[in-house]
Amino acid sequence: MKPRERALPAVLKTRRAPTDQELQSIAWLHQLKPADRRFAEQALAVGEILKGDFICTAGKPVRYWLGLIDGLLKMSNNRADGSTISYAGLPPGSWFGEGTALKRERYRYDIQALRKSTIAALPLAAFHELLDRSIEFNRVIMYQLNERVGQFIIGRETDRTTNPDSRVARSLAALLNPVLAPNADNTLRITQQELAYLIGLSRQRVNVALVRLEAQGLIRLEYGGLHVLDLPALSAYA
């Protein structure tokens, strides 16, 4: 079996080499030296995951560093009382699980597809070889980890707030984080139902919040999504 075929989990429905366009969409590749970039490109593989499937589940060992080429993912965990805590939405361009990969430990969270998604996978051995040989790759991971800590702190604050408008506003801002989602622009192609799954609110309550945020000039609702007009205000919304 070729190394590329071993790179992806069994849940993925296809396994193939990334296209040139897909490689171009992986922002951190462009920060590497040519030799390191070629090494990473040879190690990467991509595949499809269907809506509702889990790409990572709590308790499973890490075997790769994962990224999202296309689609939408949700990072969450289950509380002791059976309820779910949502940590983050993962839009295209996001890479995740670097902390778990660094420590070679088991996942402590679930990653579920909210729509059919294309996943990229860098095998764990290649991940650690790049850490050993590339200063540029180390910077990528360092910035990711630093931003992830801030994201989780904000996520915990957002999860505890009783103001649904604030939860929606801050969740939208998190989807546009320039470090964790470098491919995102101010236009989000996301349905209200998908937002509801990410945030943990009903679709109807998300709709009310979006209408209020639009009335305040922070977003503009569009067919199939929305356009963010004031990202700093969304991030600080209380």
Side-chain angles (χ1 to χ4, degrees), residues 1-8 15-18 23 40-46 121 123:
M1 185 177 290
K2 296 179 181 179
R4 191 185 301 281
E5 295 174 335
R6 293 196 301 268
L8 299 181
R15 298 163 185 248
R16 59 178 174 79
L23 290 173
E41 289 177 346
Q42 287 297 311
L44 283 164
V46 299

Side-chain angles (χ1 to χ4, degrees), residues 81-236:
D81 62 4
S83 62
T84 299
I85 178 172
S86 180
Y87 295 127
L90 302 169
S94 302
W95 283 75
F96 51 92
E98 55 280 343
T100 307
L102 276 170
K103 293 179 284 186
R104 301 178 188 267
E105 65 179 15
R106 295 179 183 272
Y107 289 107
R108 300 183 181 182
Y109 47 81
D110 301 328
I111 303 286
Q112 185 180 25
L114 297 186
R115 64 176 78 142
K116 183 179 179 181
S117 300
T118 302
I119 306 294
L122 182 71
L124 191 61
F127 176 87
H128 280 274
E129 183 163 344
L130 282 170
L131 286 175
D132 290 340
R133 64 192 264 181
S134 172
I135 293 175
E136 293 78 13
F137 189 72
N138 275 269
R139 289 197 186 103
V140 168
I141 300 303
M142 179 180 67
Y143 293 149
Q144 282 265 138
L145 288 170
N146 181 65
E147 203 68 26
R148 189 79 69 197
V149 170
Q151 181 189 52
F152 284 160
I153 291 173
I154 293 171
R156 290 292 290 170
E157 293 175 350
T158 301
D159 189 62
R160 291 173 178 174
T161 183
T162 57
N163 182 345
D165 294 356
S166 177
R167 291 179 66 177
V168 172
R170 294 190 181 191
S171 296
L172 289 175
L175 289 171
L176 296 176
N177 184 295
V179 176
L180 298 177
N183 294 355
D185 56 23
N186 282 1
T187 299
L188 286 172
R189 295 304 173 194
I190 189 169
T191 69
Q192 292 184 12
Q193 187 61 68
E194 288 170 338
L195 272 175
Y197 284 139
L198 287 177
I199 302 167
L201 296 172
S202 69
R203 187 195 63 78
Q204 292 80 4
R205 191 59 190 82
V206 167
N207 175 263
V208 171
L210 291 175
V211 170
R212 288 178 177 171
L213 295 174
E214 183 176 43
Q216 295 170 48
L218 304 184
I219 65 172
R220 182 176 67 247
L221 297 177
E222 300 175 344
Y223 180 76
L226 58 92
H227 187 80
V228 172
L229 302 174
D230 193 337
L231 182 58
L234 285 179
S235 301

Side-chain angles (χ1 to χ4, degrees), residues 20-28 30 68-69 92-93 95 182-183:
D20 289 342
Q21 183 176 0
E22 288 168 340
L23 290 173
Q24 284 297 317
S25 73
I26 300 175
W28 58 266
H30 304 286
L68 182 62
I69 301 294
W95 283 75
N183 294 355

